mmCIF file of all heavy atoms in Angstrom:
data_model
loop_
_atom_site.group_PDB
_atom_site.id
_atom_site.type_symbol
_atom_site.label_atom_id
_atom_site.label_comp_id
_atom_site.label_asym_id
_atom_site.label_seq_id
_atom_site.Cartn_x
_atom_site.Cartn_y
_atom_site.Cartn_z
ATOM 1 N N SER A 617 -10.431 1.675 1.525
ATOM 2 C CA SER A 617 -9.884 2.712 2.441
ATOM 3 C C SER A 617 -9.451 3.953 1.640
ATOM 4 O O SER A 617 -9.288 5.022 2.269
ATOM 5 C CB SER A 617 -8.647 2.136 3.173
ATOM 6 O OG SER A 617 -7.661 1.716 2.288
ATOM 7 N N ASP A 618 -9.284 3.838 0.346
ATOM 8 C CA ASP A 618 -8.878 5.001 -0.468
ATOM 9 C C ASP A 618 -9.968 6.036 -0.635
ATOM 10 O O ASP A 618 -9.684 7.144 -1.068
ATOM 11 C CB ASP A 618 -8.378 4.540 -1.821
ATOM 12 C CG ASP A 618 -6.916 4.122 -1.790
ATOM 13 O OD1 ASP A 618 -6.351 4.016 -0.673
ATOM 14 O OD2 ASP A 618 -6.329 3.888 -2.861
ATOM 15 N N PHE A 619 -11.218 5.645 -0.378
ATOM 16 C CA PHE A 619 -12.290 6.618 -0.541
ATOM 17 C C PHE A 619 -13.126 6.768 0.701
ATOM 18 O O PHE A 619 -14.302 7.102 0.670
ATOM 19 C CB PHE A 619 -13.161 6.295 -1.775
ATOM 20 C CG PHE A 619 -13.938 5.029 -1.715
ATOM 21 C CD1 PHE A 619 -15.274 5.008 -1.342
ATOM 22 C CD2 PHE A 619 -13.369 3.799 -2.072
ATOM 23 C CE1 PHE A 619 -16.027 3.835 -1.291
ATOM 24 C CE2 PHE A 619 -14.095 2.628 -2.063
ATOM 25 C CZ PHE A 619 -15.437 2.645 -1.630
ATOM 26 N N ALA A 620 -12.521 6.535 1.898
ATOM 27 C CA ALA A 620 -13.225 6.623 3.140
ATOM 28 C C ALA A 620 -13.784 8.040 3.388
ATOM 29 O O ALA A 620 -14.924 8.198 3.841
ATOM 30 C CB ALA A 620 -12.298 6.201 4.295
ATOM 31 N N ALA A 621 -12.988 9.062 3.106
ATOM 32 C CA ALA A 621 -13.442 10.437 3.347
ATOM 33 C C ALA A 621 -14.640 10.765 2.425
ATOM 34 O O ALA A 621 -15.613 11.373 2.869
ATOM 35 C CB ALA A 621 -12.297 11.419 3.088
ATOM 36 N N GLN A 622 -14.564 10.355 1.176
ATOM 37 C CA GLN A 622 -15.629 10.635 0.225
ATOM 38 C C GLN A 622 -16.902 9.838 0.600
ATOM 39 O O GLN A 622 -18.035 10.346 0.501
ATOM 40 C CB GLN A 622 -15.204 10.255 -1.209
ATOM 41 C CG GLN A 622 -14.100 11.151 -1.744
ATOM 42 C CD GLN A 622 -12.736 10.868 -1.166
ATOM 43 O OE1 GLN A 622 -12.466 9.738 -0.788
ATOM 44 N NE2 GLN A 622 -11.913 11.888 -1.047
ATOM 45 N N GLN A 623 -16.695 8.616 1.111
ATOM 46 C CA GLN A 623 -17.830 7.802 1.530
ATOM 47 C C GLN A 623 -18.576 8.439 2.683
ATOM 48 O O GLN A 623 -19.781 8.464 2.750
ATOM 49 C CB GLN A 623 -17.301 6.411 1.912
ATOM 50 C CG GLN A 623 -18.347 5.441 2.464
ATOM 51 C CD GLN A 623 -19.051 4.684 1.372
ATOM 52 O OE1 GLN A 623 -19.380 5.230 0.310
ATOM 53 N NE2 GLN A 623 -19.332 3.417 1.636
ATOM 54 N N ASN A 624 -17.814 8.977 3.625
ATOM 55 C CA ASN A 624 -18.410 9.630 4.788
ATOM 56 C C ASN A 624 -19.195 10.882 4.363
ATOM 57 O O ASN A 624 -20.275 11.182 4.876
ATOM 58 C CB ASN A 624 -17.365 10.077 5.802
ATOM 59 C CG ASN A 624 -16.817 8.855 6.582
ATOM 60 O OD1 ASN A 624 -17.456 7.815 6.666
ATOM 61 N ND2 ASN A 624 -15.614 9.026 7.132
ATOM 62 N N ALA A 625 -18.673 11.591 3.350
ATOM 63 C CA ALA A 625 -19.382 12.778 2.856
ATOM 64 C C ALA A 625 -20.665 12.371 2.199
ATOM 65 O O ALA A 625 -21.728 13.035 2.374
ATOM 66 C CB ALA A 625 -18.475 13.532 1.877
ATOM 67 N N LEU A 626 -20.693 11.325 1.402
ATOM 68 C CA LEU A 626 -21.900 10.846 0.800
ATOM 69 C C LEU A 626 -22.907 10.402 1.848
ATOM 70 O O LEU A 626 -24.120 10.668 1.748
ATOM 71 C CB LEU A 626 -21.591 9.648 -0.135
ATOM 72 C CG LEU A 626 -20.833 9.958 -1.429
ATOM 73 C CD1 LEU A 626 -20.409 8.686 -2.125
ATOM 74 C CD2 LEU A 626 -21.695 10.812 -2.369
ATOM 75 N N TYR A 627 -22.423 9.730 2.865
ATOM 76 C CA TYR A 627 -23.292 9.227 3.946
ATOM 77 C C TYR A 627 -23.963 10.394 4.670
ATOM 78 O O TYR A 627 -25.161 10.293 5.043
ATOM 79 C CB TYR A 627 -22.502 8.384 4.898
ATOM 80 C CG TYR A 627 -23.307 7.639 5.908
ATOM 81 C CD1 TYR A 627 -24.018 6.481 5.590
ATOM 82 C CD2 TYR A 627 -23.317 8.052 7.243
ATOM 83 C CE1 TYR A 627 -24.738 5.797 6.511
ATOM 84 C CE2 TYR A 627 -24.056 7.355 8.215
ATOM 85 C CZ TYR A 627 -24.750 6.232 7.856
ATOM 86 O OH TYR A 627 -25.494 5.543 8.782
ATOM 87 N N ALA A 628 -23.208 11.458 4.907
ATOM 88 C CA ALA A 628 -23.776 12.605 5.592
ATOM 89 C C ALA A 628 -24.887 13.267 4.781
ATOM 90 O O ALA A 628 -25.870 13.761 5.372
ATOM 91 C CB ALA A 628 -22.651 13.615 5.871
ATOM 92 N N LYS A 629 -24.756 13.254 3.463
ATOM 93 C CA LYS A 629 -25.790 13.844 2.596
ATOM 94 C C LYS A 629 -26.991 12.949 2.462
ATOM 95 O O LYS A 629 -28.132 13.393 2.526
ATOM 96 C CB LYS A 629 -25.190 14.162 1.218
ATOM 97 C CG LYS A 629 -24.119 15.219 1.241
ATOM 98 C CD LYS A 629 -23.557 15.408 -0.184
ATOM 99 C CE LYS A 629 -22.459 16.438 -0.225
ATOM 100 N NZ LYS A 629 -21.850 16.579 -1.602
ATOM 101 N N ASP A 630 -26.736 11.645 2.217
ATOM 102 C CA ASP A 630 -27.818 10.720 1.999
ATOM 103 C C ASP A 630 -27.274 9.293 2.192
ATOM 104 O O ASP A 630 -26.501 8.791 1.369
ATOM 105 C CB ASP A 630 -28.355 10.849 0.560
ATOM 106 C CG ASP A 630 -29.476 9.844 0.260
ATOM 107 O OD1 ASP A 630 -29.877 9.073 1.174
ATOM 108 O OD2 ASP A 630 -29.964 9.822 -0.890
ATOM 109 N N PRO A 631 -27.618 8.627 3.288
ATOM 110 C CA PRO A 631 -27.117 7.278 3.570
ATOM 111 C C PRO A 631 -27.325 6.249 2.461
ATOM 112 O O PRO A 631 -26.582 5.297 2.349
ATOM 113 C CB PRO A 631 -27.849 6.894 4.860
ATOM 114 C CG PRO A 631 -28.200 8.178 5.502
ATOM 115 C CD PRO A 631 -28.501 9.125 4.365
ATOM 116 N N ASN A 632 -28.335 6.500 1.617
ATOM 117 C CA ASN A 632 -28.618 5.582 0.557
ATOM 118 C C ASN A 632 -27.731 5.767 -0.679
ATOM 119 O O ASN A 632 -27.752 4.968 -1.616
ATOM 120 C CB ASN A 632 -30.109 5.664 0.119
ATOM 121 C CG ASN A 632 -31.029 5.046 1.144
ATOM 122 O OD1 ASN A 632 -30.736 3.956 1.651
ATOM 123 N ND2 ASN A 632 -32.134 5.716 1.447
ATOM 124 N N SER A 633 -26.964 6.850 -0.674
ATOM 125 C CA SER A 633 -26.140 7.164 -1.835
ATOM 126 C C SER A 633 -24.706 6.658 -1.667
ATOM 127 O O SER A 633 -23.867 6.842 -2.537
ATOM 128 C CB SER A 633 -26.063 8.678 -2.097
ATOM 129 O OG SER A 633 -25.329 9.348 -1.071
ATOM 130 N N VAL A 634 -24.425 5.924 -0.567
ATOM 131 C CA VAL A 634 -23.080 5.444 -0.337
ATOM 132 C C VAL A 634 -22.782 4.204 -1.174
ATOM 133 O O VAL A 634 -23.677 3.640 -1.865
ATOM 134 C CB VAL A 634 -22.857 5.068 1.140
ATOM 135 C CG1 VAL A 634 -23.106 6.272 2.039
ATOM 136 C CG2 VAL A 634 -23.802 3.917 1.567
ATOM 137 N N TYR A 635 -21.570 3.746 -1.119
ATOM 138 C CA TYR A 635 -21.147 2.520 -1.834
ATOM 139 C C TYR A 635 -21.124 1.348 -0.884
ATOM 140 O O TYR A 635 -20.681 1.499 0.264
ATOM 141 C CB TYR A 635 -19.780 2.733 -2.481
ATOM 142 C CG TYR A 635 -19.821 3.706 -3.638
ATOM 143 C CD1 TYR A 635 -19.564 5.071 -3.445
ATOM 144 C CD2 TYR A 635 -20.177 3.259 -4.919
ATOM 145 C CE1 TYR A 635 -19.623 5.941 -4.515
ATOM 146 C CE2 TYR A 635 -20.231 4.161 -5.970
ATOM 147 C CZ TYR A 635 -19.971 5.486 -5.765
ATOM 148 O OH TYR A 635 -20.075 6.371 -6.810
ATOM 149 N N ILE A 636 -21.634 0.227 -1.326
ATOM 150 C CA ILE A 636 -21.657 -0.999 -0.518
ATOM 151 C C ILE A 636 -20.897 -2.104 -1.278
ATOM 152 O O ILE A 636 -20.891 -2.139 -2.518
ATOM 153 C CB ILE A 636 -23.076 -1.461 -0.196
ATOM 154 C CG1 ILE A 636 -23.863 -1.695 -1.524
ATOM 155 C CG2 ILE A 636 -23.805 -0.417 0.691
ATOM 156 C CD1 ILE A 636 -25.253 -2.339 -1.292
ATOM 157 N N ALA A 637 -20.277 -2.987 -0.514
ATOM 158 C CA ALA A 637 -19.550 -4.098 -1.103
ATOM 159 C C ALA A 637 -20.492 -5.237 -1.440
ATOM 160 O O ALA A 637 -21.387 -5.566 -0.649
ATOM 161 C CB ALA A 637 -18.474 -4.582 -0.126
#
Side-chain angles (χ1 to χ4, degrees):
S617 60
D618 276 8
F619 64 97
Q622 293 74 31
Q623 177 85 321
N624 286 339
L626 290 171
Y627 189 76
K629 293 177 182 177
D630 179 2
N632 286 318
S633 70
V634 300
Y635 290 92
I636 58 172

